[in-house]
Amino acid sequence: MSDSTLQDSYDIAIIGAGPAGMSAAITASTAGASVVVIDDKARPGGQIYRNVGNSPLHNSDLLGADYLQGRSLIDSFNNCPAEKLSAANVWHLGENGEVLFSQNQQTRSLSAREVIVTVGAMERPFPINGWHLPGVMSAGSAQVMLKSDGLVCDDAVFVGTGPLLYLIVAQYLRLGVRVRALVDTTPVSNYIQSIRYLPGALAHARMLAKGLGLLNEIRRSGTAVYRFAREVKIVGEGRASGVCFQAKGQTHQLDSNHIFLHQGVIPNLNMTRSLGLKHRWCSQQLCWKPTINNWGQSSIDSIAVAGDGGGIVGAEGAELSGKLAALNQLHRLGRIDKRQRDSQAAPSQHRLQHLNRFRQYIDRLYSPQDQQRLPQQDDTVVCRCEEQNLGQLRAGFDQGARGPNELKSLTRCGMGPCQGRQCGHTVSELLAQWRDEPVEAVGYYRLRSPMRLLNLTELSQFSRVQPKPDLEFNSSSTADSDSDIKSIKGAAQ
Amino acid sequence: MNPDVLIIGGGIQGCASAYHLTKAGVRVTVLEKDWVSRHASGVNAGGVRMLGRHLAEVELSKASMALWAQLDDELDDDTGYRARSLINIASDEADMATLRAREKKMHSVGHFHEKIIDQQELRQRLPHVAPHCIGGVISEADGYAIPYKSTLAFRRAAERHGARFIEGETVRAIRQVGNSWLVKAQRSDYEAGQLLNCAGAWADKIAVMMGDNVPMSYSAPMLMITTRMPHFATPVVGAVSRPLSFKQFENGTVLIGGGAKGFADRDANRTRLDYSKLAAGSKNAIEFFPIMKTAAINRMWAGLEAYMPDNLPVIGPCTQANNGYHAFGFSAHGFQMGPIVGKVMAELIIKGGSAFSLDAFRVDRFERKVL
């Protein structure tokens, strides 16, 4: 990390150092703009390239070629002239370009003419019966534990749909971890309906082959695979003891103390919503997205959104969209003219269009089932922080709470520490169903900073004086020490 | 059929007025430009206090407290009201002197609900208070309620008595012809014999349409709330000479206020927060209660609230027209007054008068001042 002095203002502030943020920083800073990148992790890479340069695993090649591809991007990023702040949590971003963040137990502020928000994706909530029980985790969290701390657990059941799910199962198997079963909830209808997008996807034969390769790898390993699963429920008193589902006309129950759920990813909305950007409901990806143009520019013209935070595009798409957002802002700052912007952008735009056609196919194929997005039973928990279930929300609606904010005020659904991340989409879709109106008409929670829990002492250390950099950080492990979870640091042969 | 009374504004004052009017058999329609309890009434700190009131407000505040004590039964609903006592902490001798002077004044006019406590009693009641705090003043009957639920409880009770609430309806123009108020709103026109302005941070605009100029301003008082903490404070807490105010709810969350103001954009229905002021508030909270050092702030917000130059509300009839009334400008302490104000407005409209002295709250009280 750089040792130069942190300024109090920049041409461009980039929030996040995943593929989109890194690529935007490289493009903007090498063109001469003053750029600061603020990332909450100890090392750049985002979720996808987490710890690439510093894996706890002896043989991180087992995590796959894509994971390692990140190395060259990270190297270019580390060598570019942008100011990089790591382990720094942005908890407020204002539409005026004011950035407040916590670093080393202190609140600091800076401001920027232009901002690129690259906050990435989060896993789509999986609100089925029992999803809140201890022992149930998202498959992505399982992967985070693997990538950052080399922690895995034997005999877990993986449930859901989507490429990331298959990838994590394959990564587990390659590391020699026993997997109890893969319960694939992709319905037959998705295979049929996605066929019409297949021609567009065929241009990406390599990516298709990679996906099929993962599934074959899982089958060849002898792992039990249940396809076309429906009516999935977690069973257990006080903690998960198994998962129950129907597949091919039969009811199955698999016993396991660890259930990993996954049904794709959605944009992480908390920053773009707190900013007050306009959003729209995307029926292809079944999620809210900030409304952005081809350059990632949002409804506030000095703020761009790039990468999965603006709509799921994947790692390569994120890298391209980061570059495009940076080029447009360089133009806005007067550093390049329109012709330069357009000519430098053309190859990336072309490639992004291509990727989008592949994305259409993937989105359709792995579109999550209604019954896994909209809770079906009154006792299914919707808001985990405030423990509000479907029945309680329905009662609130019947009392007159027509919108997400009224429902929040009445039931506390969405008031907890996750700031609605876990229930926001579910609540929008439920209200749309109950009102028999489009999700767009229902809207989303009115969010505010702080975008994460903020320690009172951190806030009280707030100062507007020019901050001094202190860039020595240690990464710390946050994984819990569940007895079944074992460390495999160095275990892979 | 036209209502007898049209109320503009679906906050706690409007909803409580609608309740008391409909309960007496009056036909009421409430026009709300957003939705009921959207602004200050739904997002305030929920303080239900008599402590430290301006002398002009004490009688109303005491009467309102009596209503709060049985409000859940009266409205057949859950307002979340809890009498937990309120203590304003003195951190030095100057604060104690301020309290003694206040006590003398209050006793002289016959009010005895505020009691000075010494350091020992302060520590008994608030074991986690910092050692430098030397005493304080307590009002035993004070406490808190849940603002959104309280306002909604009035609304629902009013609806059971026949009140109509029309949400998403912004008033554009008002005129009075003969005995009728003609109100032109965004979607429809309305007509009623009596008109009541409870429009909160927008009430000065409505007042002008009704013929009363009023030097009201508006601002965005800010609040923040922590995640659940172990129980450490039963009373609601304030400070004599510092901007500090907090309360711990039954679920363990701690609401921190103190009156610091953010930035209000009334036309856009929005507020922005002033984080440096919130930081100062955090410092105070930690200084008075070191246990708060590790508290995690979950949410921060501000509401749009109306202020009068003397921080006293406007309660009473129009000066320029008959059959027009105002109840607004509560200057960030109107929530507790809601129940009694609703009752007073109903009395003014139905009987033409109130037993309370409302002189200090006249809408034209600033007109007479020569600058």
Side-chain angles (χ1 to χ4, degrees):
Chain A
M1 288 284 127
S2 150
D3 283 321
S4 63
T5 308
L6 192 63
Q7 299 161 221
D8 63 356
S9 65
Y10 290 85
D11 289 334
I12 300 178
I14 296 169
I15 319 296
M22 290 191 292
S23 124
I26 295 163
T27 304
S29 66
T30 51
S34 67
V35 175
V36 62
V37 183
I38 311 173
D39 190 48
D40 59 357
K41 296 180 192 63
R43 291 185 184 79
Q47 293 291 352
I48 180 101
Y49 304 137
R50 182 184 281 267
N51 267 356
V52 163
N54 193 53
S55 176
L57 308 176
H58 274 192
N59 185 359
S60 60
D61 293 353
L62 295 174
L63 296 177
D66 282 354
Y67 180 56
L68 302 176
Q69 225 172 48
R71 273 184 192 155
S72 70
L73 181 61
I74 290 171
D75 287 344
S76 308
F77 172 69
N78 283 334
N79 292 326
C80 84
E83 182 81 42
K84 296 139 198 139
L85 299 178
S86 57
N89 265 287
V90 174
W91 56 266
H92 171 72
L93 173 59
E95 56 184 57
N96 54 0
E98 180 184 32
V99 185
L100 302 183
F101 60 99
S102 289
Q103 199 186 29
N104 264 6
Q105 293 290 303
Q106 286 230 322
T107 287
R108 295 171 168 185
S109 76
L110 54 84
S111 61
R113 290 168 188 271
E114 302 278 313
V115 180
I116 305 179
V117 177
T118 67
V119 285
M122 54 171 262
E123 286 181 281
R124 180 188 290 281
F126 208 126
I128 55 173
N129 245 28
W131 72 303
H132 61 289
L133 292 172
V136 184
M137 208 161 80
S138 76
S141 309
Q143 197 194 32
V144 168
M145 286 168 59
L146 171 63
K147 284 182 185 172
S148 355
D149 302 295
L151 296 174
V152 296
C153 74
D154 272 322
D155 298 316
V157 178
F158 288 78
V159 183
T161 183
L164 184 60
L165 181 72
Y166 311 137
L167 175 65
I168 299 166
V169 174
Q171 287 172 341
Y172 255 51
L173 293 170
R174 287 172 208 161
L175 292 165
V177 184
R178 291 197 310 270
V179 172
R180 175 83 170 79
L182 167 62
V183 178
D184 190 331
T185 63
T186 317
V188 181
S189 55
N190 279 17
Y191 288 93
I192 297 165
Q193 283 160 17
S194 59
I195 285 174
R196 70 189 178 99
Y197 299 109
L198 194 55
L202 283 176
H204 300 268
R206 194 184 64 85
M207 285 161 90
L208 281 178
K210 204 171 67 189
L212 289 172
L214 286 176
L215 286 169
N216 282 330
E217 188 181 339
I218 294 166
R219 284 203 202 92
R220 276 200 314 272
S221 73
T223 305
V225 178
Y226 299 84
R227 298 184 71 196
F228 312 123
R230 310 179 64 250
E231 316 286 335
V232 183
K233 284 198 292 214
I234 312 293
V235 291
E237 289 297 321
R239 68 164 292 138
S241 61
V243 58
C244 182
F245 57 93
Q246 295 192 0
K248 297 182 180 165
Q250 280 192 312
T251 302
H252 299 266
Q253 179 159 344
L254 304 176
D255 296 332
S256 174
N257 293 324
H258 293 283
I259 318 287
F260 294 149
L261 303 175
H262 178 84
Q263 52 176 346
V265 294
I266 54 177
N268 188 347
L269 295 181
N270 285 42
M271 190 171 290
T272 54
R273 282 282 179 184
S274 309
L275 263 169
L277 303 185
K278 284 203 177 85
H279 286 66
R280 67 185 180 90
W281 178 257
C282 172
S283 49
Q284 180 185 322
Q285 298 191 333
L286 295 169
C287 64
W288 289 105
K289 290 178 177 180
T291 308
I292 50 176
N293 67 13
N294 290 337
W295 302 99
Q297 200 172 344
S298 74
S299 54
I300 297 173
D301 58 10
S302 59
I303 293 173
V305 186
D308 281 347
I312 304 307
V313 289
E316 189 188 351
E319 196 176 326
L320 297 167
S321 69
K323 181 174 182 173
L324 294 175
L327 286 172
N328 189 48
Q329 294 196 342
L330 286 169
H331 170 55
R332 286 171 48 80
L333 291 165
R335 291 193 171 266
I336 56 175
D337 63 25
K338 194 162 177 293
R339 212 171 36 80
Q340 288 168 312
R341 177 195 71 177
D342 293 349
S343 66
Q344 288 180 47
S348 299
Q349 280 170 332
H350 185 70
R351 177 71 185 152
L352 203 53
Q353 273 169 13
H354 250 261
L355 287 176
N356 282 340
R357 289 170 56 199
F358 180 68
R359 180 59 49 188
Q360 271 190 322
Y361 172 71
I362 293 289
D363 286 344
R364 190 64 208 94
L365 179 57
Y366 297 119
S367 181
Q369 297 181 41
D370 286 357
Q371 57 174 249
Q372 282 164 201
R373 297 193 329 275
L374 294 165
Q376 303 290 305
Q377 285 170 295
D378 275 356
D379 61 346
T380 304
V381 169
V382 175
C383 168
R384 302 172 65 139
C385 302
E386 296 291 331
E387 291 165 10
Q388 289 294 310
N389 65 32
L390 179 67
Q392 288 163 312
L393 296 190
R394 178 69 211 201
F397 175 75
D398 291 338
Q399 277 186 23
R402 308 271 301 162
N405 294 303
E406 294 125 290
L407 196 63
K408 180 176 169 182
S409 296
L410 198 62
T411 65
R412 300 189 59 81
C413 178
M415 277 196 184
C418 90
Q419 305 274 25
R421 279 180 184 85
Q422 290 295 319
C423 62
H425 279 78
T426 314
V427 163
S428 288
E429 283 207 87
L430 280 173
L431 287 169
Q433 188 187 43
W434 295 336
R435 280 162 55 167
D436 195 19
E437 281 184 78
V439 183
E440 190 98 29
V442 168
Y444 193 81
Y445 295 131
R446 192 174 59 241
L447 295 186
R448 291 264 204 187
S449 307
M451 293 162 205
R452 62 163 188 95
L453 292 183
L454 181 63
N455 179 283
L456 204 63
T457 307
E458 273 171 0
L459 175 61
S460 72
Q461 303 296 317
F462 182 99
S463 78
R464 285 198 194 279
V465 297
Q466 187 167 316
K468 283 223 167 97
D470 179 5
L471 299 164
E472 295 300 315
F473 301 104
N474 301 310
S475 73
S476 63
S477 160
T478 52
D480 68 62
S481 53
D482 197 311
S483 57
D484 296 1
I485 295 172
K486 61 182 184 180
S487 171
I488 53 153
K489 288 178 193 181
Q493 301 299 308
Chain B
M1 195 165 52
N2 291 332
D4 303 315
V5 180
L6 200 58
I7 299 176
I8 300 172
I12 193 164
Q13 315 300 345
C15 290
S17 301
Y19 167 71
H20 285 287
L21 284 163
T22 50
K23 196 178 146 204
V26 177
R27 283 170 302 139
V28 172
T29 293
V30 180
L31 303 181
E32 163 55 48
K33 77 177 180 60
D34 293 300
W35 67 78
V36 167
S37 203
R38 161 70 178 84
H39 293 286
S41 294
V43 300
N44 67 71
V48 176
R49 69 166 173 96
M50 296 185 288
L51 186 66
R53 292 263 167 194
H54 188 285
L55 275 178
E57 287 182 341
V58 173
E59 290 294 347
L60 278 173
S61 182
K62 278 168 116 173
S64 209
M65 200 55 106
L67 296 179
W68 274 106
Q70 42 80 53
L71 201 55
D72 283 359
D73 290 338
E74 160 112 26
L75 302 179
D76 189 21
D77 212 322
D78 176 19
T79 63
Y81 168 67
R82 299 286 183 274
R84 291 277 187 256
S85 82
L86 164 59
I87 297 174
N88 276 349
I89 298 172
S91 48
D92 53 27
E93 277 306 326
D95 283 353
M96 290 305 285
T98 306
L99 290 180
R100 282 189 288 269
R102 161 90 178 174
E103 181 180 63
K104 203 171 159 194
K105 202 161 97 182
M106 290 291 279
H107 285 183
S108 73
V109 285
H111 298 308
F112 298 95
H113 56 279
E114 299 180 355
K115 291 190 176 59
I116 291 178
I117 56 174
D118 61 13
Q119 190 172 38
Q120 193 190 347
E121 187 170 359
L122 178 67
R123 289 198 185 151
Q124 253 162 27
R125 290 174 180 269
L126 288 165
H128 290 272
V129 74
H132 74 271
C133 301
I134 59 168
V137 60
I138 186 168
S139 170
E140 293 276 9
D142 291 5
Y144 62 79
I146 306 299
Y148 186 81
K149 286 188 165 188
S150 305
T151 306
L152 239 58
F154 272 114
R155 178 218 176 128
R156 286 198 282 256
E159 281 179 321
R160 287 196 295 274
H161 287 297
R164 258 183 91 205
F165 284 79
I166 302 174
E167 298 176 287
E169 181 70 307
T170 309
V171 169
R172 301 272 192 236
I174 298 171
R175 60 201 175 109
Q176 194 177 31
V177 177
N179 286 324
S180 290
W181 287 99
L182 307 180
V183 174
K184 192 171 192 52
Q186 191 183 329
R187 299 200 308 250
S188 195
D189 293 347
Y190 302 87
E191 183 175 339
Q194 317 265 348
L195 186 62
L196 170 55
N197 171 17
C198 298
W202 294 263
D204 56 337
K205 290 179 155 186
I206 302 296
V208 166
M209 294 184 208
M210 293 168 77
D212 283 317
N213 282 311
V214 61
M216 189 198 98
S217 64
Y218 55 89
S219 191
M222 301 183 290
L223 292 169
M224 50 191 174
I225 195 159
T226 70
T227 54
R228 296 168 192 213
M229 296 178 71
H231 180 82
F232 72 93
T234 303
V236 178
V237 174
V240 174
S241 60
R242 294 277 279 281
L244 169 78
S245 158
F246 75 83
K247 53 183 71 80
Q248 184 171 31
F249 292 109
E250 281 166 349
N251 67 3
T253 59
V254 181
L255 180 69
I256 306 171
K261 291 168 188 170
F263 308 103
D265 182 352
R266 178 168 76 165
D267 296 334
N269 248 358
R270 285 183 60 184
T271 55
R272 272 195 304 122
L273 305 186
D274 184 337
Y275 296 97
S276 57
K277 284 192 191 142
L278 286 170
S282 315
K283 230 175 211 157
N284 282 336
I286 293 170
E287 197 183 314
F288 279 75
F289 287 83
I291 192 176
M292 304 267 278
K293 248 182 246 170
T294 55
I297 299 162
N298 188 2
R299 287 174 290 124
M300 300 167 164
W301 70 92
L304 280 159
E305 168 68 347
Y307 290 83
M308 293 297 290
D310 55 2
N311 286 322
L312 289 176
V314 172
I315 304 172
C318 279
T319 56
Q320 302 291 314
N322 292 323
N323 305 325
Y325 303 87
H326 303 292
F328 65 84
F330 287 83
S331 312
H333 53 265
F335 177 65
Q336 186 265 351
M337 309 253 277
I340 193 65
V341 170
K343 207 170 176 186
V344 166
M345 298 323 289
E347 283 168 4
L348 286 178
I349 291 170
I350 296 166
K351 299 178 190 158
S354 165
F356 293 95
S357 163
L358 301 175
D359 202 50
F361 314 124
R362 291 166 58 96
V363 69
D364 63 350
R365 63 184 185 267
F366 296 98
E367 297 275 318
R368 287 164 281 172
K369 292 220 169 96
V370 178
L371 295 174

